[in-house]
Amino acid sequence: MLDTRELGRRPGSQREVARQVPAPAELGIEVLHVPEGSPVDIDLRLEAVMEGVLVTGDATARLEGECVRCLEPVRDQIEVPFQELYVYDDRTPADDDGLDDEVRRLEDDLLDLEPVLRDAVVLALPFQPLCEDDCPGLCTECGAQLADDPDHAHDAPIDPRWAGLAALQEAQDQQDD
Ligand SMILES: [Zn+2]
Ligand SMILES: [Zn+2]
């Protein structure tokens, strides 16, 4: 929550705010998220406009997740820009002039940045995080890390459907001896 009282309500008045907040829980997506409680740096410009307070800024946060190809941990940093208008909560509906229910409102001159931060971060996250852009992933045969062993190869891929037969054949060969 950010107090906007110091800003005043004269349209055009501005205030810069920089602060660090702990990341809220479940900020991000399943494969990539901002660790709960990790520091999120926020730089903001608050600007009083006729209807309320226009907030423009960016947030920098740490990311943790898993590479979708090789499942190795991914650590990264993200910087997301955002802009949002918070309408004064004492404006009556008649003043709203077509502003719909989805508009964000100031509550007692406080603005809640968390939903805006959430939307901005989730929008900016890659849906398929990779440890490296060209991560070769895992061997489809044995699951080995191809990055550790780029020349990795299997001479004769064993089709699992034949593995049982091969074992049977081996047993038979042994009996014949
Ligand atoms: Zn990877
Ligand atoms: Zn392999």
Side-chain angles (χ1 to χ4, degrees):
M1 286 287 190
L2 211 63
D3 198 333
T4 65
R5 262 168 300 192
E6 276 183 46
L7 179 68
R9 290 199 174 189
R10 187 201 306 269
S13 76
Q14 290 191 12
R15 210 175 134 227
E16 309 262 341
V17 178
R19 58 168 56 184
Q20 195 175 67
V21 297
E26 287 168 30
L27 178 59
I29 54 178
E30 199 180 342
V31 286
L32 196 61
H33 68 282
V34 181
E36 184 177 354
S38 68
V40 179
D41 287 306
I42 296 177
D43 282 307
L44 295 176
R45 195 180 75 235
L46 306 178
E47 185 181 352
V49 295
M50 289 299 288
E51 310 91 320
V53 177
L54 183 65
V55 179
T56 310
D58 56 62
T60 308
R62 261 180 25 217
L63 288 177
E64 276 180 16
E66 211 172 63
C67 173
V68 293
R69 287 195 199 144
C70 72
L71 311 181
E72 285 290 296
V74 171
R75 284 178 212 291
D76 207 348
Q77 199 173 329
I78 192 173
E79 184 176 349
V80 290
F82 52 85
Q83 184 170 60
E84 192 73 35
L85 174 67
Y86 288 78
V87 175
Y88 294 127
D89 58 355
D90 50 13
R91 307 247 322 174
T92 61
D95 294 335
D96 277 359
D97 281 343
L99 291 174
D100 56 40
D101 293 339
E102 287 174 27
V103 73
R104 295 191 199 280
R105 290 185 170 277
L106 290 167
E107 293 160 34
D108 297 329
D109 291 319
L110 296 175
L111 63 82
D112 183 6
L113 211 54
E114 188 181 318
V116 174
L117 181 67
R118 235 171 234 291
D119 288 356
V121 167
V122 170
L123 270 179
L125 290 179
F127 287 107
Q128 307 258 303
L130 296 173
C131 58
E132 296 187 14
D133 286 343
D134 58 352
C135 171
L138 300 177
C139 171
T140 53
E141 294 288 333
C142 70
Q145 292 275 3
L146 293 179
D148 294 341
D149 190 2
D151 298 325
H152 186 94
H154 296 268
D155 302 336
I158 296 172
D159 187 321
R161 283 169 299 178
W162 296 111
L165 278 180
L168 199 66
Q169 187 69 51
E170 222 166 87
Q172 223 140 45
D173 288 351
Q174 273 167 7
Q175 269 177 6
D176 292 347
D177 286 344

